[in-house]
């Protein structure tokens, strides 16, 4: 459902912007408004779920998500829509870590967990595929509001079925909640993303940009200081000293941030430069989603043969190479090249998603899995949060959208390839410490 939320709106962005009066440079807030709270509050809700019950929190998150989707459906202006998106993100901040924790605590480390996370990754890709195709069809026939209405209906269905299917799960210990840590990390992320997004419109010389950027850095430094002294930290600093945890999450951060950026700029390219309809754009990403689903079904076998560490590094290299292949698209044609290149890049991306989760949660005790899962899912949402404001807006603020798209793709590919090399060096000696 969360994957559906991300993808179903992508194709509808141009239509949504015209209806609500959002400019091209402001469209990224439709994505960022969701990702900010979902990334900022993941760690806190992951910890609350460990203490008071993952199933209980999962159901609460579903209810919030469904109500927020209804608000986004009925939005009468940009503020109401973005409020609905932010509340959707808050619901996702509950759903995602509780779901991941239920998986990692139910299935022991080894083949069973590999298979469970492989199925999870495949469903993620299928949700993305369905969202892209449905987003195009529904936007063309029923309007963009129907995409948000679909999420509200989905939430109701899952909320009705989940109580009878999910087991309750919590940690036996009851440590205190790290509220100061949650406040500082959320405030820091909000300030940083606001600064990056504002810089795209005003430039980095603007005093407001520098002020919020400095505030974000200070708050994140305060978060590190709080975590070093907290009895029950949201992020265990000793845990981050493990090579697998640190480098695994670094790989996850890069793969999510860079692929979300690719999808954002390709959506604009296909619709604004090639003038494809929402439906045809949805078909392009539908092919991409099918390719990812296929990759998800084979990823556990690849990991079983080569190991999660090598799979992560190889997947990042593949994602970077085929992102660079997108530079072959032209101003007048390129839909076929875009379809093939982004589909193959997404297959490697899916491999990186599964591999980084396994690398980052390996070698940990069962009671540490809640923290580790929260960190893994936070990495995912923060990656989705920072990629588009950091790079995606470059495509919408240049004189030529096509030139902007090419610039973003070149930078994106370079960053992924550089990350693959650095992570390979960081993990070259052994998989765990």
């Amino acid at each position: 459902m969360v994957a559906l939320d991300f993808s179903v709106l992508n194709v509808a962005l141009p239509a949504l912007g015209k209806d609500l009066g959002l400019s091209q440079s402001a469209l990224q807030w439709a994505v960022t408004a969701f990702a900010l709270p979902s990334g900022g509050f993941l760690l806190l809700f992951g910890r609350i779920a460990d203490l008071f019950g993952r199933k209980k929190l999962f159901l609460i998150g579903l209810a919030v998500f469904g109500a927020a989707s209804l608000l986004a459906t009925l939005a009468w202006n940009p503020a109401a829509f973005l409020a609905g998106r932010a509340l959707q993100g808050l619901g996702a901040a509950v759903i995602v870590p509780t779901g991941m924790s239920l998986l990692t605590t139910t299935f022991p480390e080894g083949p069973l967990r590999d298979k469970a996370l492989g199925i999870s990754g495949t469903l993620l890709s299928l949700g993305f595929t369905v969202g892209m195709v449905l987003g195009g069809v529904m936007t063309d026939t029923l309007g963009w509001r129907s995409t948000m209405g679909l999420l509200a209906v989905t939430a109701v269905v899952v909320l009705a079925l989940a109580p009878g299917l999910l087991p309750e799960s919590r940690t036996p210990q009851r440590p205190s909640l790290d509220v100061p840590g949650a406040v500082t990390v959320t405030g820091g992320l909000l300030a940083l993303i606001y600064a990056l997004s504002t810089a795209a419109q005003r430039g980095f010389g603007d005093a407001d940009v520098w002020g919020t950027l400095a505030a974000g850095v200070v708050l994140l430094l305060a978060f590190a200081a709080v975590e070093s002294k907290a009895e029950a930290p949201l992020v265990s600093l000793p845990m981050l000293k493990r090579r697998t945890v640190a480098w695994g999450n670094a790989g996850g951060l890069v793969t999510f941030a860079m692929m979300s950026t690719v999808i954002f700029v390709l959506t604009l390219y296909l619709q604004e430069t090639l003038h494809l309809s929402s439906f045809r754009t949805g078909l392009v990403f539908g092919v991409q989603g099918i390719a990812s689903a296929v990759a998800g079904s084979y990823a556990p076998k690849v990991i079983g043969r080569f190991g999660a560490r090598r799979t992560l590094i190889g997947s990042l290299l593949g994602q970077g190479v085929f992102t660079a292949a997108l530079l072959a698209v032209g101003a007048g044609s390129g839909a076929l090249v875009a379809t093939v290149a982004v589909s193959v890049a997404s297959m490697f991306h899916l491999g990186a998603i599964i591999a980084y989760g396994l690398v980052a949660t390996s070698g940990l005790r069962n009671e540490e899995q809640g923290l580790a899962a929260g960190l893994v899912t936070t990495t995912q949402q923060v990656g989705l949060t920072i990629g588009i404001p950091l790079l995606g807006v470059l495509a919408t603020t240049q004189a030529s959208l096509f030139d902007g798209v090419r610039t973003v793709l070149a930078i994106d590919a370079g960053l992924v390839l550089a990350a693959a090399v650095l992570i390979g060096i960081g993990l070259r000696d052994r998989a765990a410490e």
Side-chain angles (χ1 to χ4, degrees):
M1 184 176 66
V2 174
L4 185 70
D5 186 12
F6 178 71
S7 63
V8 77
L9 187 63
N10 258 329
V11 179
L13 283 177
L16 182 155
K18 292 176 183 177
D19 185 32
L20 292 181
L22 286 170
S23 65
Q24 277 192 353
S25 59
L27 280 179
Q28 50 102 1
W29 280 105
V31 178
T32 303
F34 173 87
L36 276 174
S38 64
F41 287 99
L42 268 171
L43 290 171
L44 177 61
F45 286 127
R47 169 58 69 185
I48 292 175
D50 286 344
L51 299 178
F52 300 107
R54 292 157 186 144
K55 175 181 177 180
K56 183 187 301 180
L57 265 291
F58 185 84
L59 297 176
I60 292 173
L62 279 171
V64 172
F65 189 94
S69 298
L70 181 60
L71 174 60
T73 303
L74 302 175
W76 52 94
N77 58 30
F81 175 74
L82 294 178
R85 291 290 290 163
L87 288 173
Q88 280 182 327
L90 195 64
V94 182
I95 295 169
V96 174
T98 50
M100 178 66 76
S101 293
L102 284 167
L103 280 178
T104 57
T105 55
T106 300
F107 298 99
E109 186 174 341
L112 284 177
R113 186 182 296 174
D114 293 358
K115 184 176 182 180
L117 291 178
I119 293 171
S120 176
T122 301
L123 290 174
L124 183 73
S125 296
L126 288 175
F128 185 89
T129 302
V130 171
M132 279 297 191
V133 177
L134 281 181
V137 173
M138 296 176 74
T139 300
D140 277 354
T141 58
L142 302 175
W144 69 265
R145 294 178 187 275
S146 63
T147 63
M148 294 290 98
L150 175 64
L151 295 172
V153 173
T154 305
V156 170
V157 172
V158 178
L159 190 61
L161 296 176
L165 296 175
L166 293 176
E168 187 53 280
S169 172
R170 61 167 60 90
T171 56
Q173 301 86 3
R174 296 183 66 84
S176 59
L177 294 176
D178 182 18
V179 176
V183 171
T184 50
V185 72
T186 303
L189 288 173
L190 284 167
L192 284 178
I193 301 306
Y194 175 81
L196 291 172
S197 301
T198 306
Q201 298 176 347
R202 303 182 190 176
F204 279 99
D206 187 86
D208 189 31
V209 171
W210 279 108
T212 51
L213 189 63
V217 172
V218 169
L219 284 169
L220 291 178
L221 290 174
F223 172 68
V226 168
E227 297 306 277
S228 67
K229 299 178 181 179
E231 290 185 15
L234 293 177
V235 174
S236 171
L237 297 184
M239 184 186 292
L240 281 175
K241 294 180 181 179
R242 292 176 178 264
R243 291 186 180 216
T244 50
V245 175
W247 288 108
N249 280 290
L253 184 70
V254 170
T255 193
F256 275 109
M258 296 300 100
M259 185 52 69
S260 65
T261 302
V262 167
I263 293 169
F264 178 78
V265 298
L266 274 187
T267 301
L268 295 177
Y269 164 74
L270 292 171
Q271 295 194 48
E272 302 296 333
T273 300
L274 297 187
H275 305 292
L276 297 186
S277 66
S278 297
F279 174 68
R280 293 180 65 188
T281 301
L283 290 180
V284 170
F285 290 110
V287 174
Q288 174 206 17
I290 293 172
S292 297
V294 171
S297 65
Y298 282 99
K301 297 178 182 178
V302 175
I303 291 170
R305 180 173 181 180
F306 298 102
R309 178 178 62 88
R310 290 188 179 90
T311 302
L312 173 60
I313 297 166
S315 295
L316 288 172
L317 287 172
Q319 179 179 329
V321 168
F322 282 93
T323 297
L326 286 166
L327 293 171
V329 300
S333 63
L336 180 60
V337 172
T339 302
V340 174
V342 77
S343 296
V344 180
S346 292
M347 293 179 76
F348 284 106
H349 170 60
L350 199 284
I353 290 174
I354 298 174
Y356 103 86
L358 292 171
V359 170
T361 57
S362 63
L364 301 175
R365 300 187 305 273
N366 191 58
E367 56 268 26
E368 294 179 306
Q369 288 297 328
L371 283 175
L375 190 58
V376 166
T377 49
T378 297
T379 294
Q380 170 186 327
Q381 293 302 316
V382 171
L384 293 172
T385 302
I386 66 174
I388 295 173
L390 188 61
L391 288 181
V393 292
L394 292 177
T396 62
T397 54
Q398 295 193 23
S400 166
L401 176 63
F402 176 67
D403 290 339
V405 168
R406 286 178 55 85
T407 299
V408 170
L409 291 174
I411 296 172
D412 191 296
L415 289 175
V416 176
L417 292 172
V421 172
L422 290 175
I423 292 169
I425 295 172
L427 292 173
R428 70 185 183 279
D429 293 330
R430 48 181 170 165
E433 285 194 344

